[in-house]
Amino acid sequence: MHGPAWVGWLLVLLGVAAGVYCLARARTGPVAQRGEARGEGLMALGMAAMAWPLAPPSWSPWLFTAVFGTAGLWALARRHLHHAVGALAMAYMAVAMVVPSQQPGHTGQMGQMGHLGTMEPMAQMGQAGGASGAAAMAHTVPGGVPLLTGLLLVYFTGYVLAAGVRLVPAAGAVSGEAVAGGPLAGGPTAVAGSGVLRACRVAMGIGMLAMLLAL
């Protein structure tokens, strides 16, 4: 990921907090929500691992690709479409982490550096500066396929907006039932936990948007 380190640390904190809460809900929450909460928790922890701002090992993108690719196919087979899109998007971003270093022109510029020793000192300085500028431009090229990145941005923007809007009517309905004395299935704790779980999904969607923009 590109961008300042503090953005990465914020994403790490967001992913860890959401992941720990979702995994706790998977153990103590309603039975109907446990499987979904478990999937959300693992995705959040994976997002935190990918957003880690310190230099990762060279093999970590391929590990992320394998893990999230497998998780995406598994979710697709179980018809959990949002989880499948999220996991496959994480796999796509993991591949994009290594794509920029393999773009045409990067290795060529580095190869030209080896021939500078046969040139005059002023030519060395000029061509070295040009090679450094070209290499810097190569590093700023966004990773991945722009069209696919744009489609994922549209999807997660729509998901965050739709999920955020659904939080407000749900809270209004719950408070209305409480005022009217109506029954609350599972009690107030279960209702509050369900609301926090939905809020975690919104936060994770925002985190996905930030990671896509930082490619």
Side-chain angles (χ1 to χ4, degrees), residues 165-185 191 198:
V165 168
R166 283 197 299 268
L167 283 175
V168 179
V174 169
S175 58
E177 288 185 1
V179 171
L184 295 177
V191 174
R198 288 194 293 267

Side-chain angles (χ1 to χ4, degrees), residues 15 18-19 21-27 33-47 68 71-72 74-75 78 80 82-84 86-87 90 197 201 204:
Y21 177 80
C22 289
L23 290 179
R25 289 288 297 174
R27 295 186 60 184
Q33 295 181 357
R34 291 183 181 180
E36 192 172 0
R38 189 179 300 110
E40 296 282 356
L42 295 177
M43 283 292 298
L45 293 179
M47 184 180 73
F68 288 116
W74 175 258
R78 295 174 64 87
H80 295 165
H82 177 68
H83 287 171
M90 298 285 280
L197 184 60
R201 293 171 188 156
M204 287 172 56

Side-chain angles (χ1 to χ4, degrees), residues 106-119 124-133 135:
H106 180 72
T107 56
Q109 294 291 344
M110 295 301 293
Q112 291 175 5
M113 296 289 287
H115 299 287
L116 293 178
T118 61
M119 300 179 182
Q124 290 180 354
M125 295 175 62
Q127 293 190 8
S132 300

Side-chain angles (χ1 to χ4, degrees), residues 33-200:
Q33 295 181 357
R34 291 183 181 180
E36 192 172 0
R38 189 179 300 110
E40 296 282 356
L42 295 177
M43 283 292 298
L45 293 179
M47 184 180 73
M50 281 190 62
W52 190 261
L54 302 181
S58 58
W59 44 263
S60 61
W62 305 115
L63 177 63
F64 290 140
T65 302
V67 171
F68 288 116
T70 303
L73 294 177
W74 175 258
L76 192 61
R78 295 174 64 87
R79 297 183 180 180
H80 295 165
L81 296 183
H82 177 68
H83 287 171
V85 172
L88 293 176
M90 298 285 280
Y92 162 70
M93 287 188 286
V95 173
M97 290 168 64
V98 294
V99 167
S101 63
Q102 298 174 359
Q103 288 179 356
H106 180 72
T107 56
Q109 294 291 344
M110 295 301 293
Q112 291 175 5
M113 296 289 287
H115 299 287
L116 293 178
T118 61
M119 300 179 182
E120 297 179 356
M122 293 301 294
Q124 290 180 354
M125 295 175 62
Q127 293 190 8
S132 300
M137 291 177 63
H139 282 294
T140 59
V141 174
V145 181
L147 178 60
L148 182 54
T149 302
L151 291 175
L152 289 173
L153 285 171
V154 171
Y155 172 81
F156 283 105
T157 300
Y159 175 80
V160 168
L161 292 176
V165 168
R166 283 197 299 268
L167 283 175
V168 179
V174 169
S175 58
E177 288 185 1
V179 171
L184 295 177
T189 303
V191 174
S194 178
V196 175
L197 184 60
R198 288 194 293 267
C200 286

